[in-house]
Amino acid sequence: MPLNVRKLVMLVLVVPFHSVSQYYDLLRLNYREGNDAKNEAINLDLVKQAEFHSGRRGGKTVLVAPTRAAFEMFGLRILYENPGYLHCYIAEQIRQAMTAKGFRASLEKAVRGKRIDVWLENGNQKIAVEIATTDKH
């Protein structure tokens, strides 16, 4: 496996929920090198790609998420029970934003027998966030 592919997959596993351009920057890869590594990782079934449209004009984020094969290849446990990486990306963005505002945040927290996507607490204030990435809910 080429070194850039291995480095990209390891970074996606260790530092999840970044856009591909953020991974390329962290690895100091130019656009072509980064895309070559990403496409090879996709071909090896080590990552999957998804696009997230932010609703802003031209606002598109390309995401990559590790597959089960990537976790197994590096001997790591799978991080999330929900396999939807867009779902996980949104949950992580909420967690980061609310932590910066002083909230304690938990992902996939069990509350009263139900699993909450993002659980936020700040003093007496408690917020449960459910994330739907389709209109089928």
Side-chain angles (χ1 to χ4, degrees):
M1 173 185 320
L3 182 59
N4 282 345
V5 174
R6 188 172 184 80
K7 286 166 47 175
L8 176 63
V9 172
M10 286 174 39
L11 189 60
V12 170
L13 286 164
V14 175
V15 186
F17 312 117
H18 285 64
S19 68
V20 292
S21 61
Q22 290 171 311
Y23 287 127
Y24 298 172
D25 289 345
L26 290 168
L27 293 170
R28 296 194 167 130
L29 299 175
N30 64 39
Y31 183 76
R32 185 188 54 76
E33 293 168 330
N35 277 342
D36 287 348
K38 176 194 70 170
N39 291 335
E40 181 65 19
I42 290 170
N43 289 337
L44 293 170
D45 193 36
L46 296 173
V47 299
K48 290 185 179 181
Q49 176 177 308
E51 293 179 2
F52 173 63
H53 297 276
S54 66
R56 294 177 293 192
R57 190 169 54 157
K60 177 177 83 170
T61 301
V62 178
L63 308 172
V64 289
T67 62
R68 181 176 292 276
F71 284 101
E72 291 170 355
M73 184 173 112
F74 289 98
L76 300 171
R77 70 177 180 83
I78 296 176
L79 296 175
Y80 290 93
E81 291 180 22
N82 184 331
Y85 45 88
L86 178 57
H87 180 276
C88 295
Y89 173 78
I90 294 168
E92 180 62 17
Q93 295 302 305
I94 292 168
R95 186 195 68 76
Q96 288 179 11
M98 297 309 286
T99 300
K101 293 182 182 288
F103 282 81
R104 283 191 333 241
S106 302
L107 299 177
E108 301 291 335
K109 182 176 175 86
V111 177
R112 296 185 190 152
K114 295 185 179 181
R115 220 146 177 71
I116 305 298
D117 293 331
V118 185
W119 179 257
L120 304 166
E121 293 183 72
N122 190 355
N124 290 332
Q125 190 175 18
K126 294 178 172 85
I127 303 170
V129 180
E130 272 302 307
I131 300 165
T133 56
T134 68
D135 59 1
K136 296 181 179 166
H137 281 76

